[in-house]
Amino acid sequence: MLKKFVDVKEGETGPVLLSFVYFFTLMCGYAILKPLRDEMATAGGVKNVSWLFTATFVVMLVAMPAFSALVARWPRQRVIPLVYRFFLLNLLGFFLVLKLDVVAREHVARAFFVWVSVYNLFVVSIFWSFMADLFASEQGRRLFGFIAAGGTVGMVVGPFLVQHLAEPLGATHLMLLTAVLLEVSAQCVRLLSRQARVVQPRAAVAEAPVGGGVFAGFRLLFSSPLLLGLALQMLLYAATSTFLYNQQAHIVASVASGANARTAAFANIEFWVQALTLVLQTMVTGRLMARFGLGVVLAVAPLLTVLGFLGLALVPGMLMLIGFRSLRGASHYAFERPGREVLFTSVDRETKYKSKGFIDTVVYRGSDSVSSWMYTGLDKLGLGAPALAMVAVPVAALWLAVSVWLSRLARHQHPSAPAGTSALASTADAVR
């Protein structure tokens, strides 16, 4: 049955399905927390997103060295569940503070906004580091699209649960459901670690601590063209995302009057993003990557972003926005994100858990912060929505160029690879 959707081979079915469930629980838990965060932000008077992005970036600067210290000393099957249970305890703390009403809700809202922003990037980055450690490069090209679909299903189920359980149970009590899902994620790590030898022989030796220094993730980043390219790619993706987020807010506000109408508009956009993503992840990603290689897979999202911002500059309307957001979001989650993760499958373990985490969290949130302040400044200078869309076009074009260069670098590391593929067996040399 599974072979209808993904090219699984003998011994892979169990780990692939477990990885699907693992990512589902993570993203379903986040999808439950996201509307709680947004509601508290509105009720608590949280308005200045730029300051909150900056605060998130500062927290990331502290969190990443702490995580690096853990993976340097302890094996992954202990560190990853430990991190998830740390976040679980944080969540229980927020639940108690809200139930007991011992802190002003406005302060709790700000802290919760920053915490959820850190939590989302951190747990997802750790998930993909584990996947890159568990599966080989060839397996990643075949399987990561389907595994990523588990997260998409979670992003669909989470809001459904909030919609039907928030009123009868109380919104705050849904935090407990996320806590349960986090524990399920921790148990998936334990079970997948036991199956490492089944997935691939080399994964069994990866249970040892990573070793290295606390700031190795930052140091390794500047010792490798591959990692610098991945960091720049992430920075440019985040920058275009911030500009698009603000464009979306302006367009929706101009065509939808009232909170209910705006909520319905946002929900409509997210529905099409997730629906299209799920179809592409389960039906297209693995086959596209195997047939055309990472070059095409990595280029789709930035190319659509260039065309989308040009479209918004010319026709800044709701239909253009929905089409742009749907195609860009689906292509990122279905193509670019799995493709990026394949690039990490053949690098050394210290790079997977430290440099990758630094790129996925600190670089991402740093770009968020800078881009948000930049957009705010340009908006105050009087640039309208079409002009601001045009500002994002060269940024997206640079993102496209970096993505193409990354795929060529990967092929250059293994020149004997067949045409149209991205064999990365030698890319570990680029980061050592």
Side-chain angles (χ1 to χ4, degrees):
M1 182 70 176
L2 184 61
K3 290 185 177 181
K4 293 182 179 180
F5 301 100
V6 61
D7 182 18
V8 291
K9 297 183 178 179
E10 185 178 355
E12 294 176 342
T13 301
V16 167
L17 290 176
L18 192 55
S19 299
F20 183 98
V21 172
Y22 176 11
F23 202 28
F24 167 82
T25 58
L26 281 184
M27 298 313 294
C28 184
Y30 167 66
I32 290 171
L33 294 180
K34 189 175 184 294
L36 301 181
R37 179 197 68 178
D38 295 341
E39 186 279 325
M40 281 201 289
T42 302
V46 177
K47 300 176 182 179
N48 199 328
V49 176
S50 297
W51 282 109
L52 292 174
F53 279 144
T54 301
T56 304
F57 173 62
V58 172
V59 174
M60 287 295 192
L61 288 175
V62 176
M64 274 312 302
F67 176 72
S68 295
L70 289 175
V71 296
R73 292 165 177 79
W74 291 348
R76 68 186 183 193
Q77 71 268 31
R78 291 186 60 189
V79 172
I80 298 176
L82 179 66
V83 171
Y84 288 167
R85 285 162 183 155
F86 171 77
F87 281 116
L88 191 157
L89 291 175
N90 292 168
L91 198 54
L92 294 178
F94 277 113
F95 173 77
L96 290 175
V97 168
L98 288 169
K99 292 297 290 183
L100 297 176
D101 198 21
V102 294
V103 180
R105 189 173 179 82
E106 179 179 350
H107 299 318
V108 178
R110 288 172 177 161
F112 193 67
F113 187 99
V114 173
W115 181 86
V116 172
S117 300
V118 171
Y119 162 84
N120 176 35
L121 286 186
F122 218 90
V123 297
V124 172
S125 177
I126 291 173
F127 168 82
W128 282 114
S129 293
F130 185 35
M131 292 296 103
D133 206 13
L134 190 65
F135 293 97
S137 178
E138 182 275 331
Q139 292 173 307
R141 289 195 295 273
R142 289 186 291 105
L143 306 175
F144 279 3
F146 180 80
I147 291 172
T152 304
V153 175
M155 290 298 291
V156 173
V157 173
F160 177 83
L161 293 175
V162 173
Q163 182 181 359
H164 290 84
L165 298 179
E167 289 192 14
L169 297 182
T172 303
H173 289 88
L174 294 179
M175 292 181 178
L176 301 179
L177 179 55
T178 296
V180 172
L181 290 170
L182 261 178
E183 179 57 32
V184 175
S185 298
Q187 293 300 322
C188 287
V189 173
R190 180 179 62 84
L191 294 173
L192 280 168
S193 295
R194 289 182 177 180
Q195 297 183 20
R197 191 181 297 276
V198 177
V199 178
Q200 55 166 323
R202 74 166 179 85
V205 302
E207 297 301 334
V210 171
V214 172
F215 298 101
F218 180 77
R219 175 181 56 79
L220 288 169
L221 180 63
F222 291 95
S223 66
S224 163
L226 176 67
L227 293 179
L228 282 174
L230 285 165
L232 182 57
Q233 185 194 41
M234 177 62 76
L235 185 149
L236 295 169
Y237 163 71
T240 56
S241 297
T242 301
F243 266 69
L244 182 55
Y245 177 83
N246 285 279
Q247 288 275 301
Q248 175 179 276
H250 282 296
I251 293 173
V252 171
S254 67
V255 300
S257 58
N260 291 336
R262 288 193 295 272
T263 300
F266 285 126
N268 187 35
I269 293 170
E270 290 305 320
F271 170 79
W272 286 109
V273 170
Q274 300 302 335
L276 185 55
T277 300
L278 186 59
V279 171
L280 293 175
Q281 285 172 330
T282 54
M283 302 290 188
V284 180
T285 301
R287 293 175 175 84
L288 185 72
M289 211 179 297
R291 182 173 178 80
F292 297 104
L294 291 180
V296 172
V297 171
L298 293 175
V300 174
L303 178 59
L304 288 175
T305 301
V306 171
L307 298 176
F309 276 118
L310 286 172
L312 283 179
L314 296 173
V315 188
M318 195 66 184
L319 288 178
M320 180 64 72
L321 175 66
I322 292 175
F324 179 19
R325 279 277 286 109
S326 300
L327 291 172
R328 171 192 151 95
S331 62
H332 168 68
Y333 291 113
F335 299 145
E336 191 200 34
R337 187 62 192 259
R340 276 178 53 83
E341 304 311 332
V342 170
L343 286 167
F344 283 102
T345 54
S346 296
V347 302
D348 61 78
R349 300 186 66 235
E350 190 170 26
T351 300
K352 289 173 183 173
Y353 285 99
K354 295 181 181 179
S355 294
K356 184 184 183 324
F358 184 87
I359 292 170
D360 288 349
T361 58
V362 176
V363 172
Y364 188 104
R365 286 308 181 199
S367 180
D368 263 351
S369 179
V370 173
S371 302
S372 182
W373 285 111
M374 183 182 299
Y375 190 96
T376 300
L378 293 173
D379 189 37
K380 288 183 177 179
L381 288 175
L383 271 70
L388 287 167
M390 286 302 299
V391 170
V393 170
V395 179
L398 181 57
W399 174 23
L400 174 60
V402 170
S403 298
V404 173
W405 175 78
L406 278 171
S407 67
R408 291 179 177 176
L409 178 63
R411 286 199 302 270
H412 176 71
Q413 292 296 324
H414 195 62
S416 62
T421 65
S422 283
L424 303 175
S426 300
T427 52
D429 296 336
V431 296
R432 288 195 177 104

